[in-house]
Amino acid sequence: MKRQQRSILLPWAAIFLTASAFFFSGCSLPRIIVLHDPLTAEEHDNLGRIYESQGKLEPALEQYREALRQDKKHLPSLLLLGDLSYRTGEYSEAESAYTKALKLDANNGDIRNNLAWVYIRKEKDLDKAKDLITEALTLNPLHRPYYLDTLGVVLLKLGNAAGAITALKESVDTLPKDKTDLLAEARGHLADAYKAAGDEAKYREAVQRQKELQK
């Protein structure tokens, strides 16, 4: 289950461009001088958040990239870029951002979870995804219900339907009941696991409960 946590600050910011023209012998020769970017990495992040809130995803991505040009090790920028790249299907960029973020915050379970989801979407390095989410479960027990959903999907893709069912059953039993969208998602994953295991009755039951949550 993909988790995102971020705070939003909205300061005004602008990038300035100046131009000067010089005239020689009656001919103009324009010379464009681009000033040094006056924005900090944090200000680029904030501008990116504004764009993202307006649904302008490509300009938002560019602001997060620009923040990282300012500071390659700026953890918030890496997380913002990873999250939005994942949402837009730019999985290679998301993988790169999360991998760099994990080097800066080695004990962060959520980054491991999100990187595992990148591998799920890319359908590659699933054993690595399994290791990442197993480590996340140890590092951040409070997010166990969410991580178990991720683990269940990884195990299912690895061909371990029984293990997936065990993880996903615990996930749906322990997820907060008011998180109906997340519960519906996890129920859908559980239905897939039952189907893979050949349990048609449990599959139909899980699908029905998913539909009830979606209503």
Side-chain angles (χ1 to χ4, degrees), residues 6-27:
R6 60 181 67 172
S7 58
I8 300 178
L9 305 175
L10 304 177
W12 292 103
I15 300 176
F16 298 94
L17 178 73
T18 63
S20 59
F22 296 84
F23 298 86
F24 299 93
S25 301
C27 298

PDB file of all heavy atoms in Angstrom, residues 6-27:
ATOM      1  N   ARG A   6       3.472  14.321   3.618  1.00  0.00           N
ATOM      2  CA  ARG A   6       4.163  15.551   3.286  1.00  0.00           C
ATOM      3  C   ARG A   6       3.438  16.721   3.923  1.00  0.00           C
ATOM      4  O   ARG A   6       2.245  16.691   4.153  1.00  0.00           O
ATOM      5  CB  ARG A   6       4.256  15.754   1.767  1.00  0.00           C
ATOM      6  CG  ARG A   6       2.898  15.818   1.078  1.00  0.00           C
ATOM      7  CD  ARG A   6       3.048  15.984  -0.404  1.00  0.00           C
ATOM      8  NE  ARG A   6       3.636  14.792  -0.983  1.00  0.00           N
ATOM      9  CZ  ARG A   6       3.746  14.604  -2.284  1.00  0.00           C
ATOM     10  NH1 ARG A   6       3.360  15.533  -3.123  1.00  0.00           N
ATOM     11  NH2 ARG A   6       4.275  13.504  -2.769  1.00  0.00           N
ATOM     12  N   SER A   7       4.180  17.762   4.228  1.00  0.00           N
ATOM     13  CA  SER A   7       3.574  19.005   4.709  1.00  0.00           C
ATOM     14  C   SER A   7       3.662  20.018   3.591  1.00  0.00           C
ATOM     15  O   SER A   7       4.574  19.974   2.769  1.00  0.00           O
ATOM     16  CB  SER A   7       4.317  19.521   5.943  1.00  0.00           C
ATOM     17  OG  SER A   7       5.670  19.733   5.642  1.00  0.00           O
ATOM     18  N   ILE A   8       2.727  20.957   3.534  1.00  0.00           N
ATOM     19  CA  ILE A   8       2.657  21.901   2.425  1.00  0.00           C
ATOM     20  C   ILE A   8       2.808  23.325   2.936  1.00  0.00           C
ATOM     21  O   ILE A   8       2.056  23.768   3.797  1.00  0.00           O
ATOM     22  CB  ILE A   8       1.339  21.759   1.653  1.00  0.00           C
ATOM     23  CG1 ILE A   8       1.227  20.336   1.093  1.00  0.00           C
ATOM     24  CG2 ILE A   8       1.231  22.788   0.555  1.00  0.00           C
ATOM     25  CD1 ILE A   8      -0.057  20.090   0.364  1.00  0.00           C
ATOM     26  N   LEU A   9       3.823  24.017   2.435  1.00  0.00           N
ATOM     27  CA  LEU A   9       4.038  25.417   2.746  1.00  0.00           C
ATOM     28  C   LEU A   9       3.909  26.185   1.433  1.00  0.00           C
ATOM     29  O   LEU A   9       4.330  25.719   0.384  1.00  0.00           O
ATOM     30  CB  LEU A   9       5.437  25.620   3.343  1.00  0.00           C
ATOM     31  CG  LEU A   9       5.739  24.763   4.578  1.00  0.00           C
ATOM     32  CD1 LEU A   9       7.183  24.964   4.998  1.00  0.00           C
ATOM     33  CD2 LEU A   9       4.818  25.135   5.733  1.00  0.00           C
ATOM     34  N   LEU A  10       3.363  27.388   1.489  1.00  0.00           N
ATOM     35  CA  LEU A  10       3.065  28.085   0.247  1.00  0.00           C
ATOM     36  C   LEU A  10       3.648  29.493   0.219  1.00  0.00           C
ATOM     37  O   LEU A  10       2.923  30.486   0.233  1.00  0.00           O
ATOM     38  CB  LEU A  10       1.544  28.140   0.039  1.00  0.00           C
ATOM     39  CG  LEU A  10       0.831  26.789   0.058  1.00  0.00           C
ATOM     40  CD1 LEU A  10      -0.666  27.007  -0.080  1.00  0.00           C
ATOM     41  CD2 LEU A  10       1.336  25.889  -1.058  1.00  0.00           C
ATOM     42  N   PRO A  11       4.971  29.667   0.167  1.00  0.00           N
ATOM     43  CA  PRO A  11       5.530  31.016   0.040  1.00  0.00           C
ATOM     44  C   PRO A  11       5.509  31.453  -1.411  1.00  0.00           C
ATOM     45  O   PRO A  11       5.478  30.636  -2.318  1.00  0.00           O
ATOM     46  CB  PRO A  11       6.973  30.826   0.517  1.00  0.00           C
ATOM     47  CG  PRO A  11       7.288  29.437   0.085  1.00  0.00           C
ATOM     48  CD  PRO A  11       6.002  28.648   0.248  1.00  0.00           C
ATOM     49  N   TRP A  12       5.563  32.779  -1.642  1.00  0.00           N
ATOM     50  CA  TRP A  12       5.664  33.283  -3.012  1.00  0.00           C
ATOM     51  C   TRP A  12       7.090  33.084  -3.486  1.00  0.00           C
ATOM     52  O   TRP A  12       8.047  33.236  -2.756  1.00  0.00           O
ATOM     53  CB  TRP A  12       5.296  34.762  -3.058  1.00  0.00           C
ATOM     54  CG  TRP A  12       3.871  34.999  -2.770  1.00  0.00           C
ATOM     55  CD1 TRP A  12       3.323  35.463  -1.617  1.00  0.00           C
ATOM     56  CD2 TRP A  12       2.771  34.758  -3.651  1.00  0.00           C
ATOM     57  NE1 TRP A  12       1.955  35.534  -1.706  1.00  0.00           N
ATOM     58  CE2 TRP A  12       1.592  35.107  -2.956  1.00  0.00           C
ATOM     59  CE3 TRP A  12       2.664  34.290  -4.953  1.00  0.00           C
ATOM     60  CZ2 TRP A  12       0.339  35.002  -3.506  1.00  0.00           C
ATOM     61  CZ3 TRP A  12       1.404  34.187  -5.514  1.00  0.00           C
ATOM     62  CH2 TRP A  12       0.259  34.541  -4.802  1.00  0.00           C
ATOM     63  N   ALA A  13       7.248  32.741  -4.752  1.00  0.00           N
ATOM     64  CA  ALA A  13       8.588  32.553  -5.302  1.00  0.00           C
ATOM     65  C   ALA A  13       8.565  32.927  -6.773  1.00  0.00           C
ATOM     66  O   ALA A  13       7.541  32.824  -7.434  1.00  0.00           O
ATOM     67  CB  ALA A  13       9.024  31.102  -5.133  1.00  0.00           C
ATOM     68  N   ALA A  14       9.708  33.360  -7.298  1.00  0.00           N
ATOM     69  CA  ALA A  14       9.772  33.716  -8.712  1.00  0.00           C
ATOM     70  C   ALA A  14      11.195  33.558  -9.208  1.00  0.00           C
ATOM     71  O   ALA A  14      12.145  33.636  -8.445  1.00  0.00           O
ATOM     72  CB  ALA A  14       9.315  35.156  -8.930  1.00  0.00           C
ATOM     73  N   ILE A  15      11.337  33.298 -10.513  1.00  0.00           N
ATOM     74  CA  ILE A  15      12.636  33.232 -11.156  1.00  0.00           C
ATOM     75  C   ILE A  15      12.726  34.391 -12.132  1.00  0.00           C
ATOM     76  O   ILE A  15      11.799  34.613 -12.910  1.00  0.00           O
ATOM     77  CB  ILE A  15      12.808  31.889 -11.894  1.00  0.00           C
ATOM     78  CG1 ILE A  15      12.696  30.736 -10.907  1.00  0.00           C
ATOM     79  CG2 ILE A  15      14.135  31.818 -12.623  1.00  0.00           C
ATOM     80  CD1 ILE A  15      12.748  29.372 -11.545  1.00  0.00           C
ATOM     81  N   PHE A  16      13.832  35.104 -12.090  1.00  0.00           N
ATOM     82  CA  PHE A  16      13.947  36.309 -12.896  1.00  0.00           C
ATOM     83  C   PHE A  16      14.922  36.106 -14.046  1.00  0.00           C
ATOM     84  O   PHE A  16      15.908  35.405 -13.940  1.00  0.00           O
ATOM     85  CB  PHE A  16      14.427  37.490 -12.038  1.00  0.00           C
ATOM     86  CG  PHE A  16      13.472  37.829 -10.942  1.00  0.00           C
ATOM     87  CD1 PHE A  16      13.645  37.298  -9.676  1.00  0.00           C
ATOM     88  CD2 PHE A  16      12.387  38.652 -11.184  1.00  0.00           C
ATOM     89  CE1 PHE A  16      12.751  37.597  -8.668  1.00  0.00           C
ATOM     90  CE2 PHE A  16      11.500  38.967 -10.171  1.00  0.00           C
ATOM     91  CZ  PHE A  16      11.676  38.434  -8.920  1.00  0.00           C
ATOM     92  N   LEU A  17      14.623  36.739 -15.133  1.00  0.00           N
ATOM     93  CA  LEU A  17      15.464  36.693 -16.319  1.00  0.00           C
ATOM     94  C   LEU A  17      15.672  38.123 -16.792  1.00  0.00           C
ATOM     95  O   LEU A  17      14.722  38.885 -16.862  1.00  0.00           O
ATOM     96  CB  LEU A  17      14.781  35.880 -17.426  1.00  0.00           C
ATOM     97  CG  LEU A  17      15.528  35.784 -18.764  1.00  0.00           C
ATOM     98  CD1 LEU A  17      16.717  34.860 -18.624  1.00  0.00           C
ATOM     99  CD2 LEU A  17      14.585  35.254 -19.844  1.00  0.00           C
ATOM    100  N   THR A  18      16.913  38.490 -17.081  1.00  0.00           N
ATOM    101  CA  THR A  18      17.176  39.828 -17.604  1.00  0.00           C
ATOM    102  C   THR A  18      17.817  39.726 -18.967  1.00  0.00           C
ATOM    103  O   THR A  18      18.458  38.737 -19.296  1.00  0.00           O
ATOM    104  CB  THR A  18      18.120  40.632 -16.684  1.00  0.00           C
ATOM    105  OG1 THR A  18      19.376  39.971 -16.638  1.00  0.00           O
ATOM    106  CG2 THR A  18      17.544  40.768 -15.296  1.00  0.00           C
ATOM    107  N   ALA A  19      17.619  40.759 -19.778  1.00  0.00           N
ATOM    108  CA  ALA A  19      18.237  40.803 -21.100  1.00  0.00           C
ATOM    109  C   ALA A  19      18.749  42.208 -21.341  1.00  0.00           C
ATOM    110  O   ALA A  19      18.134  43.177 -20.924  1.00  0.00           O
ATOM    111  CB  ALA A  19      17.226  40.414 -22.184  1.00  0.00           C
ATOM    112  N   SER A  20      19.885  42.305 -21.996  1.00  0.00           N
ATOM    113  CA  SER A  20      20.406  43.623 -22.366  1.00  0.00           C
ATOM    114  C   SER A  20      20.844  43.583 -23.816  1.00  0.00           C
ATOM    115  O   SER A  20      21.327  42.561 -24.293  1.00  0.00           O
ATOM    116  CB  SER A  20      21.571  44.017 -21.452  1.00  0.00           C
ATOM    117  OG  SER A  20      22.601  43.051 -21.549  1.00  0.00           O
ATOM    118  N   ALA A  21      20.656  44.695 -24.528  1.00  0.00           N
ATOM    119  CA  ALA A  21      21.032  44.752 -25.942  1.00  0.00           C
ATOM    120  C   ALA A  21      22.108  45.804 -26.122  1.00  0.00           C
ATOM    121  O   ALA A  21      22.037  46.884 -25.537  1.00  0.00           O
ATOM    122  CB  ALA A  21      19.805  45.086 -26.790  1.00  0.00           C
ATOM    123  N   PHE A  22      23.095  45.434 -26.916  1.00  0.00           N
ATOM    124  CA  PHE A  22      24.180  46.358 -27.201  1.00  0.00           C
ATOM    125  C   PHE A  22      24.183  46.643 -28.701  1.00  0.00           C
ATOM    126  O   PHE A  22      23.969  45.739 -29.514  1.00  0.00           O
ATOM    127  CB  PHE A  22      25.526  45.750 -26.779  1.00  0.00           C
ATOM    128  CG  PHE A  22      25.618  45.512 -25.313  1.00  0.00           C
ATOM    129  CD1 PHE A  22      25.093  44.346 -24.760  1.00  0.00           C
ATOM    130  CD2 PHE A  22      26.214  46.433 -24.463  1.00  0.00           C
ATOM    131  CE1 PHE A  22      25.170  44.117 -23.401  1.00  0.00           C
ATOM    132  CE2 PHE A  22      26.296  46.211 -23.113  1.00  0.00           C
ATOM    133  CZ  PHE A  22      25.768  45.050 -22.562  1.00  0.00           C
ATOM    134  N   PHE A  23      24.423  47.892 -29.072  1.00  0.00           N
ATOM    135  CA  PHE A  23      24.351  48.293 -30.468  1.00  0.00           C
ATOM    136  C   PHE A  23      25.736  48.710 -30.948  1.00  0.00           C
ATOM    137  O   PHE A  23      26.405  49.528 -30.311  1.00  0.00           O
ATOM    138  CB  PHE A  23      23.377  49.464 -30.635  1.00  0.00           C
ATOM    139  CG  PHE A  23      21.973  49.105 -30.230  1.00  0.00           C
ATOM    140  CD1 PHE A  23      21.569  49.206 -28.904  1.00  0.00           C
ATOM    141  CD2 PHE A  23      21.065  48.643 -31.168  1.00  0.00           C
ATOM    142  CE1 PHE A  23      20.286  48.873 -28.530  1.00  0.00           C
ATOM    143  CE2 PHE A  23      19.780  48.306 -30.791  1.00  0.00           C
ATOM    144  CZ  PHE A  23      19.385  48.418 -29.472  1.00  0.00           C
ATOM    145  N   PHE A  24      26.136  48.082 -32.050  1.00  0.00           N
ATOM    146  CA  PHE A  24      27.425  48.411 -32.624  1.00  0.00           C
ATOM    147  C   PHE A  24      27.226  48.713 -34.108  1.00  0.00           C
ATOM    148  O   PHE A  24      26.657  47.913 -34.836  1.00  0.00           O
ATOM    149  CB  PHE A  24      28.405  47.249 -32.478  1.00  0.00           C
ATOM    150  CG  PHE A  24      28.676  46.877 -31.053  1.00  0.00           C
ATOM    151  CD1 PHE A  24      27.928  45.892 -30.417  1.00  0.00           C
ATOM    152  CD2 PHE A  24      29.655  47.541 -30.316  1.00  0.00           C
ATOM    153  CE1 PHE A  24      28.175  45.555 -29.110  1.00  0.00           C
ATOM    154  CE2 PHE A  24      29.906  47.196 -28.998  1.00  0.00           C
ATOM    155  CZ  PHE A  24      29.160  46.199 -28.386  1.00  0.00           C
ATOM    156  N   SER A  25      27.722  49.863 -34.549  1.00  0.00           N
ATOM    157  CA  SER A  25      27.674  50.264 -35.958  1.00  0.00           C
ATOM    158  C   SER A  25      26.259  50.176 -36.522  1.00  0.00           C
ATOM    159  O   SER A  25      26.031  49.687 -37.624  1.00  0.00           O
ATOM    160  CB  SER A  25      28.621  49.383 -36.791  1.00  0.00           C
ATOM    161  OG  SER A  25      29.932  49.493 -36.309  1.00  0.00           O
ATOM    162  N   GLY A  26      25.285  50.552 -35.737  1.00  0.00           N
ATOM    163  CA  GLY A  26      23.908  50.546 -36.204  1.00  0.00           C
ATOM    164  C   GLY A  26      23.243  49.199 -36.167  1.00  0.00           C
ATOM    165  O   GLY A  26      22.089  49.064 -36.567  1.00  0.00           O
ATOM    166  N   CYS A  27      23.935  48.139 -35.695  1.00  0.00           N
ATOM    167  CA  CYS A  27      23.351  46.793 -35.627  1.00  0.00           C
ATOM    168  C   CYS A  27      23.181  46.400 -34.172  1.00  0.00           C
ATOM    169  O   CYS A  27      24.022  46.727 -33.334  1.00  0.00           O
ATOM    170  CB  CYS A  27      24.247  45.765 -36.327  1.00  0.00           C
ATOM    171  SG  CYS A  27      24.464  46.100 -38.078  1.00  0.00           S
TER     172      CYS A  27
END
